[in-house]
């Protein structure tokens, strides 16, 4: 009973780190993730240690540090066994979630470095692992949604606007269920806006990105607000209000510990 309670407490810490990262408090998220990884090792919970590493990698990836993120996602995949545990159903779900987070994270890391073939291979691997019949969020719809995000971005980088729109639409469909977290809904709408931009539908993209900006701001999702502003700036560099808001958002994120690079970012 005590061991189960310990693992639950570690899982709760990981969720708190995810929330902190989602609102842009990256330094705080990093500190919590360090403790999650240590505790996962101490209590024999490799899936939670792996999730902590993958989450750290995702925060680095958001800042444009795809190579650094790839190294950490690689460690996350090594930490967790490819064979699911034979214990409780909850542990099997956490295990599958950890494996998929690492694989999809690696796909996004390679996309950000323009390693498109590697991204395709990793996405195919993720699709072979994900349980399409799992209607739950942690290891069912969540990883499937992340696969659609990265698939849409890969299609954009491959100049396949039709495929990007198709993957974005699949993502929106996965978000239609009520228990989908707000952050994932907003991110999916952002991916869809980018897909419309890639398809040359600039006005549709601009309206969608403006809505994402408002939704992200209302939810305190500063990283997504910044990303939506960046998309709008790309669509209309002459919009000085957007440029100023983009600069403010970046300064706030930097103050919260986001280790930005000056490179182009991609991946989800």
């Amino acid at each position: 009973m005590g061991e189960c309670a310990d693992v639950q407490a570690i899982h709760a810490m990981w969720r708190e780190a995810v929330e902190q990262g989602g609102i842009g408090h990256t330094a705080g998220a990093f500190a919590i993730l360090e403790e999650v990884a240590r505790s996962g090792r101490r209590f024999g919970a490799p899936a939670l240690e792996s999730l902590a590493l993958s989450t750290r990698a995702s925060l680095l990836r958001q800042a444009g540090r795809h190579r650094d993120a790839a190294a950490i996602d690689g460690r996350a995949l090594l930490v967790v066994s490819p064979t699911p545990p034979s214990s409780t159903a909850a542990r099997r779900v956490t295990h599958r979630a950890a494996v998929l987070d690492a694989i999809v994270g690696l796909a996004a890391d390679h996309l950000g470095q323009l390693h498109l073939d590697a991204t395709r291979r990793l996405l195919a691997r993720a699709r072979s692992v994900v349980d399409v019949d799992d209607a739950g969020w942690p290891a069912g719809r969540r990883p499937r949604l992340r696969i659609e995000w990265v698939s849409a971005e890969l299609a954009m980088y491959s100049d396949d606007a039709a495929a990007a729109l198709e993957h974005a639409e699949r993502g929106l469909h996965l978000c239609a269920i009520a228990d989908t977290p707000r952050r994932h809904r907003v991110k999916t709408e952002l991916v869809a806006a980018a897909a419309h931009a890639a398809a040359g539908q600039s006005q549709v993209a601009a309206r969608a990105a403006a809505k994402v900006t408002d939704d992200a701001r209302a939810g305190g999702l500063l990283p997504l607000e910044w990303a939506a502003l960046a998309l709008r700036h790309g669509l209309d560099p002459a919009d000085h209000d957007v440029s100023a808001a983009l600069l403010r958002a970046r300064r706030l994120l930097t103050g919260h510990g986001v280790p930005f690079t000056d490179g182009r970012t991609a991946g989800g």
Side-chain angles (χ1 to χ4, degrees):
M1 185 70 178
E3 180 183 355
C4 182
D6 289 332
V7 171
Q8 290 175 349
I10 300 167
H11 202 281
M13 274 198 299
W14 172 70
R15 290 197 300 269
E16 174 60 21
V18 171
E19 291 300 317
Q20 289 296 307
I23 62 176
H25 289 188
T26 304
F30 281 159
I32 298 170
L33 290 169
E34 287 288 345
E35 181 57 32
V36 172
R38 282 195 297 268
S39 298
R41 289 191 295 273
R42 186 182 311 129
F43 291 101
L48 288 170
E49 180 184 354
S50 177
L51 283 169
L53 290 167
S54 291
T55 305
R56 182 178 184 86
S58 74
L59 295 173
L60 291 171
R61 187 165 56 247
Q62 287 176 12
R65 296 182 175 272
H66 299 91
R67 184 175 296 178
D68 296 338
I72 297 174
D73 275 321
R75 284 171 52 204
L77 193 55
L78 287 172
V79 162
V80 66
S81 167
T83 305
S86 58
S87 53
T88 65
R91 285 209 169 194
R92 289 194 294 273
V93 166
T94 303
H95 173 272
R96 191 165 67 248
V99 170
L100 284 163
D101 264 26
I103 296 173
V104 179
L106 277 169
D109 300 332
H110 281 285
L111 178 59
Q113 298 175 80
L114 302 181
H115 302 158
L116 304 191
D117 288 340
T119 300
R120 290 188 186 94
R121 289 193 297 271
L122 286 159
L123 286 172
R125 183 177 176 186
R127 291 188 183 98
S128 74
V129 174
V130 75
D131 184 353
V132 296
D133 295 322
D134 185 350
W137 175 250
R141 289 188 354 266
R142 178 178 175 271
R144 286 161 59 199
L145 179 59
R146 296 182 73 236
I147 288 169
E148 296 301 340
W149 290 346
V150 183
S151 296
E153 293 183 333
L154 173 61
M156 293 179 221
Y157 273 67
S158 303
D159 295 324
D160 190 345
L165 287 167
E166 182 179 346
H167 286 296
E169 186 61 34
R170 289 178 188 170
L172 291 169
H173 178 72
L174 286 168
C175 285
I177 299 176
D179 68 343
T180 304
R182 182 176 194 169
R183 180 169 59 87
H184 291 78
R185 290 178 186 274
V186 175
K187 170 65 182 284
T188 306
E189 290 168 0
L190 176 61
V191 171
H196 283 294
Q201 302 168 5
S202 300
Q203 291 185 345
V204 175
R207 287 195 297 271
K211 181 179 182 300
V212 171
T213 304
D214 292 341
D215 290 347
R217 187 175 294 144
L221 304 171
L222 185 58
L224 288 175
E225 180 185 347
W226 169 78
L229 288 165
L231 175 57
R232 293 171 66 188
H233 178 69
L235 290 166
D236 184 6
D239 189 327
H240 298 298
D241 289 339
V242 168
S243 299
L246 178 61
L247 182 60
R248 284 196 298 272
R250 184 178 172 112
R251 284 174 174 165
L252 283 171
L253 289 169
T254 301
H256 290 318
V258 176
F260 279 115
T261 68
D262 292 328
R264 185 177 180 181
T265 62

